[in-house]
Amino acid sequence: MSSSNRAVIIGGGVIGGCTAYYLSRKGWDVTLVEKDQFGQGASWGNCGLVVPSHVLPLNTPGNLKSGLRWILQRDAPLYIQPTLNPRRIGWFMKFALRCRKKEVHRTTMARAALLQRALELYEDIIGREQMACDWKRQGALHVFRSAREFKKFREVDAVSRRFGMGAEIVHPPDLAAHEPALQSGLSGGWYDPFVARLRPDRFMTELKRVLIDFGVTISEKTIFYGFQKKSGKASAVMTSRGPVEGDKFLVATGAWTRLLHRELEIALPIEPGKGYSITMEPSPGLPRTPCFFEERRVVATNWESGFRIGSTMEFSGYNSFLNPVRINSLTRGVLPYLKNVPALRNGEAWYGWRPMTYDGLPVIDFLPKFTNVMVAAGHDTVGISMAPQTGRLVAELLSGEPPSVDPEPYSLSRF
Ligand SMILES: Cc1cc2nc3c(=O)[nH]c(=O)nc-3n(C[C@H](O)[C@H](O)[C@H](O)COP(=O)(O)OP(=O)(O)OC[C@H]3O[C@@H](n4cnc5c(N)ncnc54)[C@H](O)[C@@H]3O)c2cc1C
């Protein structure tokens, strides 16, 4: 191994983990530094859906309207804690400005580039490494109570069709055949065949096993404090367990990235967008197909090993309180759709901080004050889906190879 092939990755989430995977496959000597346990940030208890068709960002005129309606309701799908903090106010204003049609088009194209090959890339990793993570390419059902919302989904579907995907309409009489767990009286559904599900905690556990087999050093309970730097080039990361030397570096610290502005010598506009999930044992009568309960923005995912409902978006800073109001909103969110409401009280509640940028795109770029340090963070609600293509792209850029997707839309210069 050449001594100039040492990569150090900070952050053991799905983004850091997938990058470590692709770098190892290219022959890099990789060390990954994680402040807690590998995989146990946002990448652990999320809904586990791989959704290449989710090309539209949250910044759309329709979402802005719903968001304003929900803004101060504590149990609505979106909750924004009132704030006088000028930085946070500025972030929300920029988010709102990005809801203009022209911006939505630009963002959609760039999201699609990271999402389009997600199923294929996951199938390659999971198949090649024989990962037991409840992977299944079974599609998902968007379910509607409101006839108006059901019809309006045609506009969302038209966008994914532009990228070679698209859903099929399921009229009310056919809903029960598609998903027997649904109540009668719903307005309809759209079945999106381009969705797969995996169990994210199992995927991350398996990814750790594969990385260790590849010879990656995973240093857990190791906090990153900054870089040793000479003439604009980092030579090591400073950690709570001492320095770790490297030739190239990646910061993949998800929602925590903004807190590292001194270490990175730049403030990145990434806010924690808190989401919750409840996981329970499998039991009869639960949905067999992943479902999006659209009006309540709640997602249900089934696996052989369990059942999870998740979602909600809470902007309340770096707050680790498991808020019962928000958790109950998940439980109440499934009531209008399912025949048998599962005994969610016995489930395991979890929260995670989604790394949210105000323009719906991650940052994948070299840091301006360093010649050999990249950042890959800000994958908002679709980090699981974007992770393989992001990892691949970062590995190509660090290796000086032609990138498989144009990295320009994810550059820091856009801020
Ligand atoms: C409820 C919910 C449901 C979701 N459902 C889906 C879904 O169905 N499909 C989908 O595609 N996406 C989904 N997401 C989004 C997805 O989970 C995230 O986008 C993704 O996990 C982000 O990955 P990451 O690696 O950037 O961050 P993380 O997984 O949070 O990893 C960052 C890591 O960096 C470490 N770190 C931070 N600071 C330091 C430091 N100073 N030193 C060392 N280590 C540090 C952290 O401990 C953490 O382990 C969901 C999210 C939530 C909350």
Side-chain angles (χ1 to χ4, degrees), residues 79-345:
Y79 172 67
I80 302 178
Q81 191 178 54
T83 180
L84 292 175
N85 179 326
R87 185 190 42 71
R88 283 186 65 207
I89 294 171
W91 190 97
F92 289 114
M93 287 177 66
K94 286 176 186 153
F95 179 95
L97 285 173
R98 293 301 196 288
C99 293
R100 290 175 301 206
K101 271 202 172 132
K102 196 178 84 196
E103 303 285 349
V104 175
H105 176 72
R106 190 184 65 87
T107 310
T108 301
M109 299 300 288
R111 284 168 65 93
L114 292 179
L115 285 168
Q116 260 175 320
R117 297 194 57 203
L119 296 177
E120 191 188 320
L121 293 175
Y122 265 112
E123 260 160 13
D124 175 58
I125 303 175
I126 291 169
R128 189 190 281 254
E129 312 305 342
Q130 304 195 355
M131 294 165 123
C133 59
D134 290 0
W135 167 264
K136 197 168 181 187
R137 198 167 164 163
Q138 69 172 133
L141 197 57
H142 296 263
V143 188
F144 296 85
R145 284 205 67 80
S146 140
R148 192 164 149 263
E149 296 298 319
F150 170 52
K151 279 201 195 105
K152 257 178 65 186
F153 192 79
R154 190 177 290 282
E155 293 163 26
V156 174
D157 185 57
V159 178
S160 36
R161 279 181 191 279
R162 290 214 300 269
F163 299 95
M165 295 171 277
E168 300 150 19
I169 291 190
V170 185
H171 290 290
D174 305 324
L175 266 178
H178 252 274
E179 181 43 75
L182 294 175
Q183 283 183 17
S184 57
L186 297 167
S187 290
W190 288 77
Y191 173 71
D192 178 352
F194 297 91
V195 175
R197 50 83 163 154
L198 51 74
R199 180 140 182 172
D201 47 335
R202 294 194 172 191
F203 176 74
M204 293 309 292
T205 305
E206 284 286 81
L207 185 57
K208 182 176 173 183
R209 167 188 65 79
V210 170
L211 293 179
I212 291 171
D213 285 353
F214 276 14
V216 173
T217 304
I218 299 182
S219 185
E220 294 181 322
K221 299 275 172 209
T222 306
I223 304 168
F224 160 75
Y225 289 136
F227 291 101
Q228 268 175 7
K229 181 182 177 190
K230 206 173 166 195
S231 313
K233 195 172 173 193
S235 55
V237 292
M238 308 302 295
T239 79
S240 51
R241 292 176 189 257
V244 183
E245 290 184 357
D247 304 297
K248 299 274 175 77
F249 301 84
L250 171 71
V251 180
T253 42
W256 287 265
T257 310
R258 179 170 63 71
L259 301 177
L260 298 172
H261 55 95
R262 275 194 207 91
E263 295 82 344
L264 310 187
E265 301 184 39
I266 188 169
L268 294 179
I270 294 178
E271 283 290 322
K274 194 174 176 189
Y276 293 85
S277 69
I278 308 174
T279 307
M280 64 218 77
E281 296 294 313
S283 70
L286 295 175
R288 352 175 256 212
T289 318
C291 290
F292 296 92
F293 301 125
E294 287 289 343
E295 290 82 1
R296 305 306 300 258
R297 305 284 201 275
V298 176
V299 178
T301 316
N302 65 309
W303 303 285
E304 290 75 11
S305 59
F307 175 76
R308 177 170 295 161
I309 58 169
S311 195
T312 90
M313 181 68 81
E314 172 183 323
F315 288 100
S316 56
Y318 292 91
N319 154 358
S320 55
F321 175 53
L322 269 176
N323 186 336
V325 177
R326 310 292 301 155
I327 293 172
N328 289 341
S329 79
L330 282 182
T331 318
R332 277 205 306 278
V334 300
L335 283 175
Y337 302 89
L338 294 182
K339 269 189 210 148
N340 303 308
V341 175
L344 293 161
R345 260 175 290 115

Side-chain angles (χ1 to χ4, degrees), residues 13-15 34-35 42-43 46-49 224 380-385:
V14 71
I15 301 298
E34 165 55 51
K35 71 176 172 53
S43 305
N46 59 70
C47 296
L49 295 181
F224 160 75
D380 72 25
T381 58
V382 284
I384 296 295
S385 311

